[in-house]
Amino acid sequence: MQTADPSALGFDADRLARIDRHFAHYVDDGRLPGWQVVVNRGGETVHASTYGRRDVEADIGWSDDTVVRMYSMTKPITSVAAMMLYEEGAFELKDPVSKFIPSFGESRVYRSGNHMKPVTEGLAEEMKIWHLLTHTSGLTYGFHHQHVTDAIYRARGFEWGAPDGIDLAETCDRWAAMPLAFQPGAEWNYSVSTDVLGRVVEVASGMALDEFFEQRIFQPLKMTETGFAPTDEQRDRFARLYSPNPANGRAVISPLEAAAGARMFLSGGGGLVGTAADYVRFTRFLLNKGELDGVRLLGTRTVDYMTQNHLPGGVDLEAYGRPLFAETQFDGVGFGLGFSVSLDPVANKVLGSPGEYAWGGAASTAFWCDPVEDISVVFLTQLLPSSTHPIRTQLKQLVYQALVD
């Protein structure tokens, strides 16, 4: 990617080089297959680099146009899609999810028992659209391995994705029939909420999720390399998926690699593949408060509203979230409508700015937007799970230490 003079945009080029040196060690000792990082300020790229391989076994290097599984970096895009419809009056944030997916009107909440014989109770109040956007719905993920409801998901084929042969509508009906982990609005729990939100987008718009994304978001923003599966042209550029070998920590081919790219289940929570260049455009659209290159998809106030902390009482995830795997640290971090939101970098003990919003994906990808410094950063690799290494916190400290203006 073409880069601007870092010094003209407040960065020290020698200090930016520390990013590359640091993460090169991850590849050299086998912890990562390869990676790509792009640092953007004021709409200009000040640092872009790649290192390592997208296919270790075939010795194919990581290139600027490598295509990766974005996993949960899909979630902010689905949230933007939903808020575009919100701006059109398609729903209110307090509307019940059952208005669009009737099966959720019959949901039950786990109270006791094991995954074979759970004891449940009725809903104190129905799940709302804002519960989906904030992960306070009571839904969960099978891969958490923390709660009885997680085990129920796994027993029914919902650990990483959905069983073969069912579409998004059927998937949501099956989730609605499983007990919620808690009453909607009572806690924060990282979950399939955004997948359900994707189905709301389908019903409210009358379009399949992939069609909505392509016509309403990707084409206007010129995100030409992003979709729910690699195209025939992209397959030679599609990175392999890796996981750490428990014996030595070295990256080896993940057993989940073959599951990537299925089209049947359009996962608004984790189904997209794409490139760094495309996602950088998405981050600039966000930092420009809903507009890019003269194309506006969201109003400025909507983006401001989405990137505020929406957790009840303004608390952070440490106070309101469940202590389990997630794409962010909990201290000093709240949650908005589709993003984590930095409330207090001092409490988080990582360099940064109040008001940053961010998220990442299960294969250790990450992005953040800093409206105070007008910075966005995108980091891509393909190592599952993202909790393996402290890549995101280390990347932040290395980016911010390079600012000298």
Side-chain angles (χ1 to χ4, degrees), residues 83-262:
M83 294 306 290
M84 289 169 66
L85 292 169
Y86 170 82
E87 287 192 328
E88 295 169 9
F91 58 79
E92 295 184 67
L93 294 179
K94 289 186 177 180
D95 279 349
V97 175
S98 62
K99 180 177 178 180
F100 301 90
I101 311 172
S103 54
F104 276 100
E106 306 299 321
S107 291
R108 305 278 298 176
V109 181
Y110 173 82
R111 192 176 71 190
S112 62
N114 60 35
H115 76 280
M116 299 294 292
K117 293 184 178 181
V119 177
T120 64
E121 62 185 14
L123 291 167
E125 65 168 300
E126 280 206 51
M127 186 189 302
K128 307 294 197 306
I129 301 295
W130 77 267
H131 293 139
L132 299 178
L133 283 156
T134 57
H135 291 281
T136 58
S137 63
L139 294 162
T140 191
Y141 269 126
F143 60 71
H144 283 325
H145 292 261
Q146 295 289 330
H147 191 264
V148 171
T149 52
D150 309 340
I152 293 172
Y153 277 49
R154 293 195 300 275
R156 300 187 188 182
F158 296 95
E159 183 168 9
W160 293 93
D164 291 339
I166 63 172
D167 62 11
L168 180 56
E170 173 64 20
T171 299
C172 288
D173 286 342
R174 294 194 189 186
W175 284 329
M178 289 185 269
L180 299 175
F182 48 81
Q183 292 285 350
E187 300 180 44
W188 184 92
N189 184 51
Y190 193 44
S191 71
V192 299
S193 290
T194 316
D195 292 285
V196 177
L197 185 67
R199 178 57 183 161
V200 171
V201 169
E202 290 190 327
V203 176
S205 67
M207 302 170 66
L209 192 61
D210 55 351
E211 295 173 354
F212 188 97
F213 280 179
E214 180 63 24
Q215 295 178 30
R216 299 289 306 274
I217 298 176
F218 299 153
Q219 288 183 12
L221 296 184
K222 298 180 181 178
M223 294 172 65
T224 59
E225 296 265 40
T226 305
F228 277 102
T231 64
D232 290 341
E233 187 277 327
Q234 289 176 325
R235 290 193 182 278
D236 289 340
R237 296 185 280 123
F238 194 39
R240 301 194 74 176
L241 182 64
Y242 293 82
S243 291
N245 183 336
N248 57 20
R250 294 180 65 87
V252 295
I253 293 295
S254 171
L256 289 176
E257 185 191 17

Side-chain angles (χ1 to χ4, degrees), residues 39-61:
V39 181
N40 190 288
R41 193 179 204 192
E44 297 188 70
T45 297
V46 297
H47 185 78
S49 55
T50 64
Y51 192 82
R53 297 164 182 82
R54 64 170 173 251
D55 186 333
V56 175
E57 290 69 25
D59 195 25
I60 300 173

Side-chain angles (χ1 to χ4, degrees), residues 72 175 349:
S72 287
W175 284 329
K349 296 297 181 284

Side-chain angles (χ1 to χ4, degrees), residues 367-383:
F367 87 95
W368 78 84
C369 295
D370 181 343
V372 175
E373 300 288 356
D374 196 16
I375 288 171
S376 66
V377 179
V378 173
F379 182 90
L380 301 183
T381 186
Q382 292 285 267
L383 186 80

